Amino acid sequence: MSKTFMRWIFRIASISILLPASFSNAAPRATAPKAPVIYGFKGAQLGMSLQDLYNLPIEVADTKPASLACSNTQEGRRQGAISSIEEDEIGIVVCQYRLNAGSDTSRATIRIGRGYTDNVNFRFYDGQLFKIYIEAGKREYDEAVDGLVAKYGDPDLARVEEAESTNGQTFSHEIMTWENSSNSVVASEPWVFGGGSVIFRDYLIERKMKLDLNSKYPSDKKM
């Protein structure tokens, strides 16, 4: 279990002890609603346009030249940015940072704290970024969680779940969630694999995407 996760659980437990004494006689106070936080990774914010992502400075750890490769161009597909047939039909665009030094078109490595990962994917629908998926090793995952806490504060939810692997082995993993009415970040650490994932998701854009997908592939026609 990560140190950040344990610190957060301990802090919540401490606060829960203090709440009755601090707020039992407090009068309710009206507060103006805050605009939802827009989550993002290294300048790439949910809801941004594809052109805005192209315009971002490239922060890769490689010494070889790198560029953003996207599935809506022939060159991007040649470099390895691939989307499924279903995604293509509703206009989903998948982007990755790839090396472009001669014949080397492998995934570029993105710095996360003291480490790095080459598994970062950006998904766009209707011209807007609705999902960022990051998969990294144990050290990079812990660094990512530290960065999320520093940027967005303590998670809104933290829990431990039991899961079962494909070979029937049971293992535990932690899940931390930052969320608001329009978007979320979920950090999940599957201990048995020694790494974790961080997923940024825009609910509103994703909902439009799923409606479009279901209209082309209705449930009653799937079987």
Side-chain angles (χ1 to χ4, degrees):
M1 188 176 297
S2 70
K3 293 180 180 178
T4 302
F5 183 83
M6 291 303 298
R7 287 200 303 268
W8 190 85
I9 291 295
F10 177 77
R11 181 173 178 179
I12 291 300
S14 301
I15 291 174
S16 66
I17 294 173
L18 295 173
L19 280 175
S22 302
F23 295 100
S24 58
N25 297 320
R29 182 180 300 173
T31 57
K34 295 182 179 179
V37 174
I38 301 177
Y39 301 115
F41 172 69
K42 292 189 177 293
Q45 287 190 309
L46 293 170
M48 75 186 307
S49 71
L50 179 55
Q51 187 58 51
D52 285 341
L53 184 63
Y54 271 114
N55 292 338
L56 280 180
I58 298 175
E59 293 188 24
V60 298
D62 304 274
T63 57
K64 296 180 179 179
S67 63
L68 185 69
C70 297
S71 62
N72 63 334
T73 68
Q74 186 175 352
E75 177 61 17
R77 286 183 172 273
R78 184 193 71 81
Q79 290 181 277
I82 305 297
S83 53
S84 68
I85 295 174
E86 292 81 5
E87 288 175 325
D88 288 340
E89 287 191 355
I90 63 170
I92 290 178
V93 177
V94 179
C95 297
Q96 297 176 335
Y97 286 107
R98 313 284 298 200
L99 299 178
N100 53 11
S103 60
D104 189 356
T105 59
S106 56
R107 291 183 298 201
T109 51
I110 310 298
R111 179 71 65 184
I112 297 181
R114 295 166 296 166
Y116 56 86
T117 179
D118 67 353
N119 198 344
V120 180
N121 293 277
F122 305 88
R123 272 178 159 72
F124 288 81
Y125 173 71
D126 200 21
Q128 293 180 288
L129 179 61
F130 75 92
K131 188 175 183 180
I132 306 171
Y133 176 82
I134 304 166
E135 189 172 307
K138 169 65 177 173
R139 180 178 69 171
E140 290 76 18
Y141 173 80
D142 287 343
E143 294 272 31
V145 170
D146 285 345
L148 288 170
V149 172
K151 193 171 183 179
Y152 303 119
D154 292 326
D156 299 295
L157 178 66
R159 66 188 188 276
V160 176
E161 290 186 351
E162 297 294 321
E164 188 173 298
S165 63
T166 54
N167 62 3
Q169 181 182 3
T170 300
F171 64 97
S172 300
H173 65 276
E174 69 180 40
I175 301 174
M176 286 178 279
T177 303
W178 292 257
E179 62 183 350
N180 55 51
S181 59
S182 64
N183 56 108
S184 70
V185 187
V186 177
S188 175
E189 181 184 24
W191 299 341
V192 72
F193 302 117
S197 65
V198 179
I199 301 175
F200 299 77
R201 177 178 283 121
D202 187 299
Y203 299 135
L204 304 181
I205 303 172
E206 190 173 51
R207 187 177 303 145
K208 291 193 299 181
M209 179 271 295
K210 289 182 176 179
L211 287 172
D212 192 2
L213 188 62
N214 288 336
S215 69
K216 292 183 180 296
Y217 300 95
S219 298
D220 60 349
K221 304 295 184 184
K222 292 180 178 179
M223 298 296 290

